[in-house]
Amino acid sequence: ANMNFIKINEEELDKENFQPLTVIFTLIKFECKYLLIKNIESLFWELPVIQKLENETTSEASIRMCKGLLNLDEIDTIFGGLAKIIFEKRDSEEYFAIYLYNANVSIFNKFNNSDKNMKWYSKESELKPICATSRQIIEFIESSQLGS
């Protein structure tokens, strides 16, 4: 599969034909670290991901995922862009919405070494194996203004 990133404004998601768009990645970031979750089946570390419900916006899905994962009432996520995945073998394509949540130090501490299935990842970390899609999304966010 090939992945391309599309820098657009969130308002353009509805206007353009970016379909199917049901998968939302949310990067939970503290300083230069991102919260990754261990996929129990594949054993890969990956970014938090959620499926959008039928009558839900991508932003609402991202916020719902963060609230559930971080156990918080109030959350605001920032739209980061769109990933387009092309599956050559299936001759099909999908879109993923990407959001960013800037965590505070108390969230960082809450998930620092407490849960063996959730870890903070940075470029220098020894965490392996990292899901290729998650790594590419992190690199995209780092290269855009949002990552700084």
Side-chain angles (χ1 to χ4, degrees):
N2 275 335
M3 183 157 41
N4 300 317
F5 292 99
I6 306 165
K7 286 188 180 183
I8 59 166
N9 294 323
E10 195 171 13
E11 295 73 43
E12 297 173 82
L13 279 178
D14 301 326
K15 296 190 188 90
E16 300 291 333
N17 189 22
F18 299 120
Q19 297 298 327
L21 171 54
T22 57
V23 176
I24 292 92
F25 283 90
T26 303
L27 290 81
I28 297 167
K29 183 177 183 191
F30 177 76
E31 293 176 353
C32 295
K33 299 176 190 301
Y34 296 90
L35 193 62
L36 297 186
I37 298 171
K38 191 170 207 172
N39 182 318
I40 304 303
E41 289 166 17
S42 71
L43 301 180
F44 275 86
W45 290 94
E46 45 195 49
L47 289 166
V49 65
I50 197 167
Q51 294 276 339
K52 184 169 82 71
L53 301 175
E54 200 174 327
N55 297 320
E56 191 175 43
T57 66
T58 53
S59 173
E60 287 165 348
S62 170
I63 289 168
R64 174 170 59 89
M65 199 274 318
C66 280
K67 281 181 172 179
L69 187 67
L70 305 176
N71 198 14
L72 293 176
D73 296 331
E74 283 301 309
I75 256 181
D76 208 10
T77 59
I78 305 160
F79 180 67
L82 207 56
K84 177 182 181 179
I85 311 258
I86 301 156
F87 301 98
E88 289 93 350
K89 286 180 183 156
R90 285 188 272 167
D91 194 28
S92 66
E93 56 190 43
E94 266 180 56
Y95 293 90
F96 299 159
I98 303 166
Y99 284 82
L100 181 71
Y101 173 70
N102 286 305
N104 60 26
V105 69
S106 70
I107 288 172
F108 174 75
N109 289 333
K110 184 174 168 182
F111 293 100
N112 202 18
N113 303 324
S114 62
D115 187 335
K116 63 180 190 304
N117 292 319
M118 290 170 78
K119 298 255 187 254
W120 292 97
Y121 164 79
S122 67
K123 287 192 190 104
E124 299 79 39
S125 74
E126 300 291 310
L127 210 53
K128 285 185 174 88
I130 307 288
C131 154
T133 301
S134 293
R135 180 172 301 167
Q136 285 177 280
I137 290 171
I138 290 171
E139 285 168 6
F140 166 69
I141 289 293
E142 289 283 307
S143 70
S144 71
Q145 283 72 27
L146 286 176
S148 50

